Amino acid sequence: MSKKQNKRQIILDEAAKLFKLKGFGGTSMRDLAGEVGMEAASMYNHIKSKDEILEHLCFHVSDTYIAQLAQVEQMRGSNGDKLKELLRLHIHLMLEDGAAVSVANNDWKYLTSDKLELFKAARKQYEKGFAMLIENGIAEGEFQPVNASVALFTILSAVRWVELWYRPGRGVTAQELEQDIMTILLNGLAKKQ
Amino acid sequence: MSKKQNKRQIILDEAAKLFKLKGFGGTSMRDLAGEVGMEAASMYNHIKSKDEILEHLCFHVSDTYIAQLAQVEQMRGSNGDKLKELLRLHIHLMLEDGAAVSVANNDWKYLTSDKLELFKAARKQYEKGFAMLIENGIAEGEFQPVNASVALFTILSAVRWVELWYRPGRGVTAQELEQDIMTILLNGLAKKQ
DNA sequence: AGCATTAACTAACAAATGTTAGTTAATGCT
DNA sequence: AGCATTAACTAACATTTGTTAGTTAATGCT
């Protein structure tokens, strides 16, 4: 039983890496099997289907994001503090589970119909909670009076490059990264005068 | 001859839309043919291969970006002004040719080997020019002293959602959009105090 | 009118795809 | 020791894929 869990996890991890590299459609079960060190057919002892792999990866990410949102919502502090913390957690998942996040960002559209709807709903829920923090911040005069949706997507997109770009040995630490991104997004690139 | 150009363009445009919607791998030549209103085999009177379609779309985008960079580089004005203008042009292409930009952003990895290298080189050239503006701005004390690469990718990513999200009838005009994105990226979301 | 080109079609191909069936050796429980 | 389960294998399947061959009607030039 523990062995089974283990092999399944290896398949899922390897799938995340391959899907990130070559896309869901561009990755065949034989490719994946080669990476795992097994025949394609053998993997079906551990997983139900190729679609199930995709579902697992996508919902792992969306579930985590929603849990993080719930966690931040019951924090106390300013909207700026909450936004900062949610963003920090958001970036943190990217650094920790980059391949899965990449799949959830790029290959979610290949989910089959009912799962696709579920995923889109989850994403919308997350975005809604995120937007609420921004709207509250604007209403309370804490943030600049921009369109909240525009701010939301600008921020969420702004951090998406992290999973494509960040590698530990790149001369930028995770702390610097977080700090600089926060600076740019909250304080802006231009110097205050 | 003009007819041929026309049909070819229809195929390319329709391909951009489909690739954006379902990905390069997820779009079959028969799907595309159905959209164009033609049998799959008939399209080969107008295009060389499925790969050629992808190449055309990707290089159309990278060529445009590089031309825009060259245009801005010979402007006079502050680094902030140049950065603003380059970003404005960048967003403009997204609004004008969203599907092609989407393909260049998401499906470039399916380019075949030599074209893939060419595309990556073009992208690197664009990023290098973009980064130079930021570095100059920092050196001249115009921008905050952040890591230039982090700033570069944060800005370039920040605007990527536009092609996924923007639709004319969404209550936000292109002008508002540009303005708000500039505000957030250059001045920051937080109010100056 | 005669001819060459264009652009559509149908039919078919070879390769690749996700998946199932059937088999077999190893492992662990009673 | 005997039995059930697990997890690997090979072989094969039905589809789908990108693409080519061969044909045919329409178009336009001389």
Side-chain angles (χ1 to χ4, degrees):
Chain A
M1 186 64 100
S2 67
K3 259 268 177 77
K4 179 170 178 183
Q5 269 295 30
N6 223 342
K7 268 289 163 66
R8 181 180 158 88
Q9 200 54 54
I10 290 173
I11 292 172
L12 292 171
D13 289 349
E14 221 57 50
K17 283 192 236 168
L18 268 191
F19 289 176
K20 172 178 176 175
L21 198 65
K22 320 204 290 172
F24 179 72
T27 303
S28 76
M29 294 301 276
R30 287 165 179 82
D31 286 344
L32 177 54
E35 217 64 33
V36 173
M38 193 184 277
E39 289 300 313
S42 304
M43 291 192 299
Y44 286 80
N45 288 316
H46 306 280
I47 52 116
K48 222 181 104 236
S49 65
K50 192 187 181 190
D51 284 336
E52 191 217 16
I53 297 178
L54 180 62
E55 286 162 21
H56 178 92
L57 295 174
C58 289
F59 286 101
H60 165 64
V61 171
S62 64
D63 287 352
T64 304
Y65 277 152
I66 284 179
Q68 290 175 348
L69 175 63
Q71 184 185 328
V72 164
E73 276 174 340
Q74 61 189 20
M75 258 179 68
R76 58 184 171 293
S78 69
N79 292 298
D81 287 342
K82 288 184 185 174
L83 188 62
K84 216 181 242 177
E85 177 63 9
L86 186 55
L87 199 52
R88 205 187 57 71
L89 290 171
H90 190 98
I91 294 173
H92 196 256
L93 182 63
M94 286 184 157
L95 295 176
E96 195 145 279
D97 218 343
V101 171
S102 181
V103 173
N105 276 336
N106 300 307
D107 292 328
W108 58 269
K109 58 186 140 187
Y110 303 116
L111 288 167
T112 47
S113 58
D114 52 331
K115 302 289 179 174
L116 178 63
E117 295 311 312
L118 270 175
F119 181 81
K120 289 201 284 193
R123 199 179 45 176
K124 187 164 258 173
Q125 185 189 336
Y126 183 62
E127 288 170 356
K128 202 133 195 170
F130 216 118
M132 194 57 80
L133 290 182
I134 297 174
E135 274 166 30
N136 289 343
I138 293 173
E140 293 168 22
E142 202 176 335
F143 297 150
Q144 304 215 42
V146 293
N147 181 299
S149 286
V150 173
L152 165 69
F153 289 110
T154 299
I155 291 174
L156 285 187
S157 292
V159 298
R160 273 191 57 175
W161 64 274
V162 171
E163 49 98 347
L164 296 171
W165 180 86
Y166 183 76
R167 270 184 285 285
R170 201 138 194 174
V172 182
T173 69
Q175 272 77 19
E176 279 183 275
L177 198 68
E178 272 180 30
Q179 191 53 56
D180 279 0
I181 293 178
M182 302 285 190
T183 298
I184 293 168
L185 290 179
L186 295 180
N187 300 330
L189 187 57
K191 260 192 177 157
K192 302 186 184 195
Q193 46 214 350
Chain B
M1 187 64 100
S2 68
K3 260 265 176 79
K4 179 169 180 183
Q5 269 293 31
N6 222 343
K7 269 288 164 66
R8 182 180 157 88
Q9 199 55 51
I10 290 172
I11 293 172
L12 292 171
D13 289 350
E14 220 58 49
K17 284 192 236 166
L18 268 191
F19 289 176
K20 172 177 177 176
L21 198 65
K22 320 205 290 172
F24 179 71
T27 303
S28 76
M29 293 301 276
R30 287 166 180 80
D31 287 343
L32 178 54
E35 217 64 33
V36 173
M38 194 185 279
E39 288 301 313
S42 305
M43 292 193 299
Y44 285 80
N45 289 315
H46 305 280
I47 52 118
K48 223 181 104 235
S49 66
K50 192 187 182 189
D51 283 337
E52 191 217 16
I53 297 178
L54 180 63
E55 286 162 20
H56 177 92
L57 295 174
C58 288
F59 285 102
H60 165 65
V61 171
S62 64
D63 288 351
T64 304
Y65 277 152
I66 284 179
Q68 291 176 348
L69 175 63
Q71 184 185 330
V72 164
E73 276 175 338
Q74 60 191 20
M75 257 179 67
R76 59 184 171 292
S78 69
N79 292 297
D81 287 342
K82 288 184 186 175
L83 189 61
K84 215 180 241 176
E85 176 63 9
L86 187 56
L87 199 51
R88 204 186 58 71
L89 290 171
H90 190 100
I91 295 173
H92 196 256
L93 182 63
M94 286 183 155
L95 295 177
E96 196 145 279
D97 218 344
V101 171
S102 181
V103 173
N105 276 336
N106 299 308
D107 291 328
W108 58 269
K109 57 187 141 187
Y110 303 115
L111 287 167
T112 47
S113 58
D114 51 331
K115 301 289 178 173
L116 177 63
E117 295 312 312
L118 270 174
F119 181 80
K120 289 202 283 193
R123 198 180 46 176
K124 186 165 259 174
Q125 185 189 337
Y126 183 62
E127 289 170 355
K128 203 132 194 172
F130 216 118
M132 194 57 79
L133 290 181
I134 297 174
E135 274 166 29
N136 289 343
I138 294 173
E140 294 167 22
E142 202 176 337
F143 298 151
Q144 304 215 41
V146 294
N147 181 299
S149 286
V150 172
L152 166 69
F153 288 110
T154 300
I155 291 175
L156 284 187
S157 292
V159 297
R160 272 191 58 176
W161 63 274
V162 172
E163 49 98 345
L164 296 172
W165 181 84
Y166 183 76
R167 269 185 286 287
R170 203 142 193 171
V172 182
T173 69
Q175 271 79 18
E176 278 183 277
L177 198 67
E178 272 180 30
Q179 190 53 56
D180 279 1
I181 293 178
M182 301 286 189
T183 298
I184 293 167
L185 290 179
L186 295 179
N187 300 330
L189 185 58
K191 260 192 179 158
K192 302 186 183 195
Q193 47 216 349

